[in-house]
């Protein structure tokens, strides 16, 4: 069952970790029949997903990841600033460095979500 297909936070410079934490609070590890995906589309400011700007919630993304089947970040980030942080929290990262990259990234994301 899909309870939230998409949500847009737009306009912020810091990822709303308090909302992410509340959204996934109390969920257990999903079984094979209950696939749970998180896809975040952002720019290089996505380091805030891992506590940059909100150090008290630096562990939220890693804790939420344990309740998900897949977690993929689609990021416009030529410097790959989020790479190490994402790897440490077990998030996959797909980079869009130029708009020409978008079709291949979308195809790869579809593969991930399709299992």
């Amino acid at each position: 069952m899909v309870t939230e297909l998409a949500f847009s936070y737009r306009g912020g410079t810091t990822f709303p970790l308090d909302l992410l934490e509340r959204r996934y609070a109390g969920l257990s590890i999903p079984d094979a029949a209950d696939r749970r995906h998180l896809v975040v589309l952002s720019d290089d400011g996505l380091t805030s997903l891992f506590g940059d700007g909100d150090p008290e919630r630096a562990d939220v993304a890693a804790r939420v990841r344990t309740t998900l089947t897949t977690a993929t970040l689609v990021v416009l980030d030529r410097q790959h600033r989020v790479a190490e942080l994402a790897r440490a929290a077990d998030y996959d990262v797909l980079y869009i460095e130029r708009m020409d990259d978008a079709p291949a990234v979308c195809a790869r994301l579809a593969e991930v979500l399709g299992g």
Side-chain angles (χ1 to χ4, degrees), residues 11-110:
T13 56
T14 301
F15 194 91
L17 291 171
D18 56 334
L19 296 177
L20 184 68
E21 185 173 39
R22 282 196 310 268
R23 170 66 179 90
Y24 291 93
L27 293 179
S28 60
I29 298 170
D31 59 29
D34 183 26
R35 294 177 51 86
R36 198 175 299 137
H37 309 281
L38 175 64
V39 178
V40 178
L41 310 172
S42 190
D43 58 16
D44 63 353
L46 193 56
T47 57
S48 64
L49 174 63
F50 304 101
D52 187 13
D54 191 356
E56 291 181 11
R57 291 191 174 93
D59 66 330
V60 169
R63 282 190 288 116
V64 164
R65 177 62 183 99
T66 66
T67 70
L68 304 169
T69 306
T70 66
T72 306
L73 311 178
V74 179
V75 187
L76 178 60
D77 177 13
R78 289 189 174 112
Q79 296 176 332
H80 294 202
R81 291 180 27 189
V82 75
E84 188 175 324
L85 297 166
R87 190 176 313 110
D90 197 29
Y91 283 72
D92 296 323
V93 183
L94 300 174
Y95 290 103
I96 295 178
E97 295 186 18
R98 301 169 307 143
M99 287 312 295
D100 292 347
D101 298 334
V105 166
C106 290
R108 177 63 189 128
L109 182 59

Side-chain angles (χ1 to χ4, degrees), residues 1 4-5 9-10 45 58:
M1 175 170 70
E4 184 175 302
L5 180 59
Y9 296 108
R10 298 185 335 210

